Each structure stands twice: as structure tokens, then as C-alpha cells.
Amino acid sequence: MPEKNANTSLSDRLTAIAAIPVVLFFRLFEAPFRFVQKIGGLKAMPYIFLLPNLAFFGVFVVVPLFINFSFSFTGGTNIFLSERVYTGTEQYEFLFDCGNYLDPQSCREDRFWKAIFNTMTFVVLQVSSLVALSLVTALILNRKIRARGFFRAVFFFPVLLSPVVVALIWKWILLRDGILNAFLVSIGLERILFFISPEWAMFWAIFVSIWSQMGFYMLILLAGLQAIPPDLYEAAEMDGTSPERVFWRITLPLLWPNLLVVVVLALIKGVQVFDEVFVLTGGGPGTATQFIVQYIYTTGFASSVQNFGLASAASVVLGLVLFVLTLAQLAAVRRKNDV
Amino acid sequence: MTEIRLKQVRKAYGDVEVIHGIDLVAESGEFVVFVGPSGCGKSTLLRIIAGLEEVTSGEVEIDGVVVNDIAASDRGLAMVFQSYALYPHMSVYKNMAFGLENTKMPKAEINQQVRDAAALLQITELLDRRPKALSGGQRQRVAIGRAIVRNPKAFLFDEPLSNLDAELRVTMRKELAALHAKIGGTMIYVTHDQTEAMTLADKIVVLQGGNVEQIGKPLDLYNTPSNAFVAGFIGSPRMNLLSAQAERSEQGGIDLVSGTHRIALPELAGIAPGDKVTCGIRPEHITITHQDSADLTVTVEFAEQLGGETYLYCSGGGVADLTVHHMGQLNKQKGDTLHLALDRSQMHVFGADGAAIVNGIY
């Protein structure tokens, strides 16, 4: 017994010695927090912990936002704001100088309006198809079908891929000598030059973005479907409710908040579309698949004359659209939480 | 009025059989309660009757018609779920009307039926509210209203009161009994609460492990349990069950020896010296007596003074847990010694297999 006591006491001592640097570190680490708490009280503490994130957000989001906003009121090619020429609202006037807003050709900056029209076409077709397909997939994968987990994983997998990887995979499939054309030729059909036809290019831009994003929205809807208590369906079954009526009167209304969130998120992401389509089609043929973000990128960085002012003005316009959509998203989430 | 009959009903999930061949009848207009511990198969049995689960073998008959292959909606039954299963996005009115709308009933008629049911359950003023704006008791009434409005052949209740607090449960229990008296109709009610079973049932079906342990009227089950499980399950507080061994007594009868206690009985058919038995006695059938006439001498572990009655939880002499009920107040405390006499006419003896050998010794 005494030997055991001696061992315990030695181990205690070693533990105490090992703890000294840890305790010292925490004492030093705590010092500024103790100081702030002494000066500002407990209420100041949350702000201290928020400070690193706020600083990061400020430097990389808020400051660039203001710089961008300032750039939109300047002209010239100089990159330093202090050396740029103040032009007032000239960039905005240039963007919005149109004979007829429904006809991009009548606008001074027809590329901007073409990009807006392309984006709107893309968003309407992509979001509606994306939401419908996600919903149908979620409904099917919510049923007790064989290999349900496997299919859920298969549909979700593309979400994990980088947009550039997604675009490269599909480019490899769709190019003149890609595997899809090889297949068409092998069954005796003619080769289709998908990226030469504006309609085909738009179709594949929409298809690929749906393929890569559907899993994410499917997951949100699947979670929504699984949150509907099974008792409700059993009560409906006892009531002799037809499957169609169950879908329209029970499933859809209860899924509606999730569906609203999905629609608004898909809208926001649709308006921001760039990387996938840029790698897949390069915005072509011509400007057939050039969307608003690509227009901003090209105008600001990828043309021979880098027009930062115009690009900034266009991005402020895009920012306003996204702001409105984000408000809609917040409203949708709030409504979802209320149900 | 509807009769529901189960014949050798079995239910298995894969290789696991959970209902092992049950036969029972719910007579027309009867209030039948399925009671048993969690996992005994009572809800599964109810869902089989409802048509929400298929039987693996056996027959479910409603009014003499085998309904095994008839869809839940066509069986003419209404079910009240434990969670109430009210549609949260619909008003109370819409919830009650939903099932009738499926039958393409004219709107005026639906309106009349919903309002009649609402009046019966005193929820007319709640018709425009959504379920989330209702209390637990109100939701319960709406769920019952949704069942009544369909004018079903029989009502099925799946633990409908278990989400309510104790006080509301008592109130709703009375209301359910009153409702049954008012509208009649066959009702099958699932609960794990034996008090609900005792107070509501015309007939209790005690289930355990997918088997029926006993079927009978509440007091029949209470007074003459067919086995130790039913004896222990029915009644609150539960019956005291003492493990004992039978020995020949010097007077020629049988002594049940439990620990250091010796309970003298007359010669009984079915009990021979050396048999291992369980002696059952309800707390209210034990009286405090003098040392000379005592069957058991124990020590009070805990005294529960309820004012009008007293419960004493005791142990000692090899008996670990013995509950004694005394009408009125009794000034006893932890550590007090009690000499107890057991009322032989209310004593039960169960064999080693748990089956009752005798219910009441005269």
C-alpha cells in the first residue's frame, strides 16, 4: 500500500508540473479578455469573440463592396481609385441607355442586355426544371424503394464536385469527338456540334447545371418530406384519400416552406451562374450563353481595354438583384420556421 | 353496430413474429381495451384491424366479412392516433371535413355533419382555428371529432391520452366514457395504462410479447387473474408477488415459506410440498395486526401519507418489496416494525409457470 501511495503521489506531481505551461498559457491568453470584461462588463464579451470574423468579413467583403461601388462612379483604365476619373452616374446611364429594353440590339451596351436576357432565359428554364426534377426525385427517393440509400448518394454525388470539374467532364462528353457523338455515330446517327448551335449550347448549359446542383435541392426537399409525420398519411389513408389528393392537399402544402427556400436559393444561384458555363461553352457560340457574371468578368478583366468602371456598375446592378432575392430567401426561411 | 373478430392472427416482420396467433372478439357496441407493456403488440394489433398493417396469417372479420384484402379506407373504421395526426395547415373545420370531401358528399351535408360533431364535442368555437392554436385536450377532441364525423362502423384509439398531462387525462377519460355511452358504437382502445383500461373498458385484453394473457371484464381480471403477469399488471399499486416454497405444515395443511415468513394455508389442490409458487396479495388485502396472528413481520421503508389513505412500502425477512394499503391516516415512519395479516379469501397462488392455481382461499 505505501508503495502505491508513493506512485500516486509521484504521478500527481508530474501531472502538476506538466500542467504549469498549460496554466501559464491560459493565464496569458485570458489576460486581454479579463481586461475587456473589467472595462466593458460581460456585455462586451460577445463582441470580442465576434471581432476576428467581423474583421475578416470587413476586409474581404465590406471594403471591396465599397471599393466596387466607388469604381462604378469612375472611368478610365487605372486600377488605383485615387487616380481614376470621377464620372458620376455615366456608367449606369451607359448601361441603361436603351431604345427598347426588350430589344438588346437597341441598347448602347447591347452585350449587357444580351447577358441579362440570356441569364433570365437560363434562370427561368433552369430553376423551373431544377425544382421540378428535385421534387420528383425527392418524392421517389422518399418511398421505400430498393437501394434507396445508394440512389440518394448517386444523386447527391455531383454536388461534391467542383463546378470546373463538372464542366470538364461534360465537355469531354459533348465535344465534337466526345463520347456522346461517338455513341451517336456508332448507332448510325450524325454527329451534332453541340457548342456551335446556340440552342444546344443553352440546353447543355442548363442540363449540366441541373445535373450538378439537383442533389443539393433534392436533399433539402427530402428532409422536408421526412419531416412530415407518417401519421398524417395514415390518417389520410383511413379517410380514403386518393394518392393525388394526398400529394396536392397534404404533401405539397406541408412541403411548401421547403419548396420556397429551394426556389429562392436556386434563383440566387441561377443569377450568379458563371464558372460551369464559362468552362463548358466559354459563353458561346458568340454570346449565346454569356451570362451577367461573365459579362462583368469579361468587361472588367478579360477584354483588351479593362473597363473596371462599367464592370463595377454592372455588378452593383447584379448586387441589387441578389439583395432582393436574398430578402425573399430570408422571408421564405422565416415562413418555414413559422410552420 | 359492428362486431370485430380476429382469428389466429399472426404478424411477422421478416423472420421475427410479433403477434403469435391471436383470437378475440369485440362484440357490437363494446368498449374493448388492449393493454400491455411497451412492445407487447397492442398497437400492431390495432393497426392490423385498421388495415394499416397486413396480417401474415389469420383472418380479420368485420361483421362476418373477412377484410384481410380490403383497404383501410374501405373497412369503414375511424382511428384516433396517439399524435392526433391533425393536418397542421388546415383549420379544425377542414380537418374534420377532409375525410368527408373524399366521399364527394355535398358541401351542405359536410357542413352539417362537421357542425353536429363539433357541437357534440363542444368545439364549435374552435372550428376556424389551426391545430397549433389548440391545447392538447382540444386537439384530442378535434381528433375524435374527425373520427365521429365519418360515422364509422367502429372507432379505433391508439393511446389517445398518452400525450396529455395527468389531470387532463382523467378529464378526457371521463369524456370518452361519456361519449361511448352517448354514441354507442364498437370501440377498440389501446393503452399501456391499466387505470385507463380499468375505467373505460367493457372488456380488457391483456397482451404480452404478442400473446393474449387474458381477456375479461375489468373486475374479473382484477379478482381472478389467470396468471402472475396479469395479476401484476392489472391494479395500481400492483399486486405484491412473493416467491415461496410449499412445505407440509405441522397442522396438516400447507405452509408457503417466503424468506423467514411462513404463510399457513389449508390443503390445496394443485400445491404439493416442495412446489415453488408465487403468492399474490393486493396491498388493500393486507391488514396490520398483532405479532401473534401475523403472517409477515416487516419494516417500513417509506410511508406515503395521502390524507385519506396511506401506502406503506416495506421489506424484511427475505421480502424485498411489499406494499400495504391502509384506508385513512396511519402514523408510521421508516424503520417501524409492522405485523401483517393476509386476507386468505383474496390471496392468489401461482405455479412455477406463472399460471394461477387458486384465486381466493376459503
Side-chain angles (χ1 to χ4, degrees):
Chain A
M1 284 304 279
E3 197 179 305
K4 194 180 174 189
N5 275 344
N7 282 343
T8 314
S9 124
L10 181 64
S11 120
D12 284 352
R13 261 181 242 163
L14 285 173
T15 310
I17 291 165
I20 290 172
V22 179
V23 172
L24 277 176
F25 172 76
F26 279 114
R27 284 284 169 200
L28 284 171
F29 187 73
E30 277 174 11
F33 294 104
R34 284 179 182 279
F35 177 72
V36 170
Q37 193 173 338
K38 204 171 176 183
I39 303 296
L42 201 59
K43 280 186 180 170
M45 294 309 287
Y47 299 99
I48 292 298
F49 290 112
L50 281 175
L51 205 57
N53 268 345
L54 283 176
F56 192 84
F57 183 74
V59 170
F60 291 102
V61 178
V62 179
V63 172
L65 205 71
F66 278 104
I67 292 174
N68 179 77
F69 190 67
S70 310
F71 262 66
S72 72
F73 294 99
T74 63
T77 53
N78 208 315
I79 198 159
F80 296 107
L81 189 59
S82 57
E83 294 170 13
R84 290 179 64 82
V85 185
Y86 176 73
T87 57
T89 57
E90 201 175 279
Q91 305 287 14
Y92 293 97
E93 285 164 21
F94 180 65
L95 281 180
F96 286 93
D97 187 3
C98 270
N100 175 6
Y101 284 115
L102 297 176
D103 177 16
Q105 302 295 337
S106 70
C107 301
R108 269 177 77 193
E109 181 56 346
D110 59 339
R111 286 185 315 125
F112 174 70
W113 286 99
K114 185 77 178 30
I116 286 192
F117 273 82
N118 283 344
T119 308
M120 282 168 64
T121 309
F122 177 86
V123 164
V124 169
L125 295 175
Q126 193 251 11
V127 171
S128 54
S129 317
L130 178 62
V131 173
L133 283 170
S134 304
L135 178 61
V136 170
T137 315
L139 286 169
I140 293 170
L141 293 182
N142 192 41
R143 300 174 81 99
K144 285 177 185 164
I145 57 168
R146 193 173 287 189
R148 185 167 66 165
F150 170 75
F151 285 117
R152 283 178 185 175
V154 164
F155 281 101
F156 187 72
F157 182 67
V159 177
L160 303 174
L161 296 177
S162 138
V164 175
V165 172
V166 168
L168 287 174
I169 291 171
W170 282 95
K171 203 169 181 176
W172 181 63
I173 294 170
L174 299 169
L175 277 175
R176 187 180 182 282
D177 297 320
I179 56 168
L180 184 55
N181 270 323
F183 171 72
L184 291 177
V185 169
S186 75
I187 59 168
L189 295 174
E190 277 196 28
R191 212 180 279 275
I192 303 172
L193 302 178
F194 293 113
F195 297 129
I196 301 298
S197 151
E199 290 78 21
W200 273 117
M202 180 62 92
F203 169 80
W204 285 112
I206 292 171
F207 179 90
V208 170
S209 67
I210 290 175
W211 182 83
S212 64
Q213 295 171 29
M214 200 183 80
F216 175 68
Y217 298 113
M218 177 205 77
L219 204 68
I220 296 178
L221 294 176
L222 199 56
L225 286 171
Q226 288 178 352
I228 300 174
D231 280 3
L232 297 187
Y233 291 111
E234 290 185 343
E237 193 181 340
M238 294 295 293
D239 280 343
T241 317
S242 67
E244 297 77 30
R245 199 165 138 84
V246 167
F247 175 75
W248 291 109
R249 296 293 305 274
I250 296 172
T251 306
L252 207 56
L254 291 176
L255 195 61
W256 186 244
N258 289 66
L259 213 52
L260 208 58
V261 169
V262 162
V263 168
V264 179
L265 280 177
L267 274 175
I268 292 172
K269 208 159 164 53
V271 172
Q272 289 175 314
V273 61
F274 172 56
D275 34 15
E276 260 165 26
V277 181
F278 185 66
V279 175
L280 188 71
T281 68
T287 55
T289 55
Q290 189 177 87
F291 302 121
I292 186 74
V293 177
Q294 192 189 338
Y295 166 81
I296 293 167
Y297 166 72
T298 311
T299 307
F301 303 103
S303 47
S304 50
V305 180
Q306 298 181 330
N307 195 341
F308 300 128
L310 193 61
S312 298
S315 56
V316 168
V317 173
L318 175 64
L320 286 173
V321 172
L322 290 174
F323 180 69
V324 171
L325 288 175
T326 307
L327 287 182
Q329 187 210 345
L330 289 174
V333 169
R334 201 166 299 146
R335 193 177 150 160
K336 177 176 167 356
N337 293 338
D338 281 350
V339 169
Chain B
M1 290 294 189
T2 298
E3 180 193 90
I4 296 172
R5 186 180 290 270
L6 304 186
K7 290 181 180 169
Q8 273 304 299
V9 166
R10 291 177 185 274
K11 174 71 185 173
Y13 295 102
D15 294 335
V16 182
E17 191 173 83
V18 293
I19 301 285
H20 310 291
I22 286 183
D23 293 288
L24 68 89
V25 185
E27 307 278 358
S28 185
E30 202 169 38
F31 200 124
V32 179
V33 176
F34 295 171
V35 68
S38 296
C40 70
K42 55 191 186 296
S43 284
T44 307
L45 205 56
L46 190 80
R47 290 168 61 81
I48 284 172
I49 295 169
L52 296 173
E53 299 273 357
E54 283 182 20
V55 291
T56 306
S57 68
E59 286 181 351
V60 179
E61 278 181 15
I62 298 176
D63 282 337
V65 178
V66 177
V67 295
N68 288 23
D69 298 324
I70 294 178
S73 56
D74 298 329
R75 294 189 182 189
L77 308 175
M79 185 153 164
V80 177
F81 293 82
Q82 182 177 358
S83 64
Y84 318 132
L86 299 177
Y87 307 121
H89 55 294
M90 295 184 198
S91 65
V92 167
Y93 182 94
K94 286 273 178 198
N95 263 285
M96 290 170 72
F98 190 75
L100 297 179
E101 286 169 2
N102 292 332
T103 63
K104 307 255 185 320
M105 185 185 275
K107 276 192 173 172
E109 208 174 320
I110 292 176
N111 185 45
Q112 191 56 49
Q113 296 212 180
V114 169
R115 290 191 182 281
D116 287 349
L120 181 72
L121 293 159
Q122 298 169 326
I123 52 170
T124 306
E125 72 283 8
L126 306 177
L127 285 175
D128 293 328
R129 289 204 208 159
R130 292 245 180 127
K132 75 173 177 184
L134 304 178
S135 68
Q138 289 170 331
R139 284 180 204 186
Q140 183 59 65
R141 281 203 190 98
V142 175
I144 295 170
R146 191 169 64 176
I148 289 176
V149 85
R150 290 183 52 215
N151 196 17
K153 289 180 183 173
F155 294 88
L156 309 177
F157 295 91
D158 189 4
E159 305 211 30
L161 306 186
S162 54
N163 286 350
L164 305 179
D165 62 52
E167 199 176 334
L168 198 52
R169 212 178 298 170
V170 174
T171 311
M172 286 306 295
R173 215 161 60 198
K174 284 185 205 156
E175 288 192 15
L176 271 175
L179 189 73
H180 181 239
K182 201 182 288 181
I183 62 174
T186 311
M187 293 187 176
I188 300 182
Y189 185 103
V190 162
T191 180
H192 62 268
D193 180 346
Q194 63 83 33
T195 312
E196 271 175 36
M198 290 294 285
T199 49
L200 286 170
D202 295 322
K203 181 195 277 178
I204 295 178
V205 179
V206 183
L207 292 152
Q208 191 203 12
N211 289 304
V212 171
E213 293 289 339
Q214 191 172 358
I215 300 175
K217 291 180 181 171
L219 287 180
D220 289 347
L221 263 58
Y222 189 85
N223 295 328
T224 54
S226 65
N227 57 46
F229 173 79
V230 177
F233 196 81
I234 299 291
S236 177
R238 51 182 295 159
M239 182 187 282
N240 297 298
L241 294 169
L242 313 176
S243 297
Q245 182 154 2
E247 285 182 11
R248 174 74 56 205
S249 76
E250 287 168 7
Q251 288 77 28
I254 291 284
D255 281 353
L256 298 185
V257 181
S258 179
T260 58
H261 308 291
R262 188 171 280 271
I263 304 160
L265 300 180
E267 191 76 46
L268 287 172
I271 303 177
D275 285 354
K276 288 194 183 309
V277 296
T278 301
C279 172
I281 185 83
R282 295 201 182 275
E284 63 270 31
H285 299 141
I286 303 175
T287 47
I288 298 168
T289 184
H290 300 292
Q291 189 171 1
D292 305 343
S293 55
D295 293 309
L296 309 170
T297 299
V298 292
T299 310
V300 175
E301 295 292 339
F302 178 63
E304 224 173 40
Q305 306 283 356
L306 301 180
E309 53 193 331
T310 307
Y311 286 100
L312 302 169
Y313 300 94
C314 314
S315 67
V319 173
D321 186 12
L322 188 89
T323 309
V324 179
H325 176 246
H326 178 82
M327 280 311 292
Q329 298 177 3
L330 192 67
N331 187 21
K332 295 287 177 193
Q333 297 164 25
K334 181 177 164 60
D336 287 352
T337 298
L338 286 183
H339 302 292
L340 304 173
L342 312 183
D343 180 351
R344 301 293 191 274
S345 69
Q346 300 294 340
M347 188 185 283
H348 311 264
V349 182
F350 306 98
D353 60 353
I357 297 170
V358 63
N359 286 310
I361 299 160
Y362 300 97

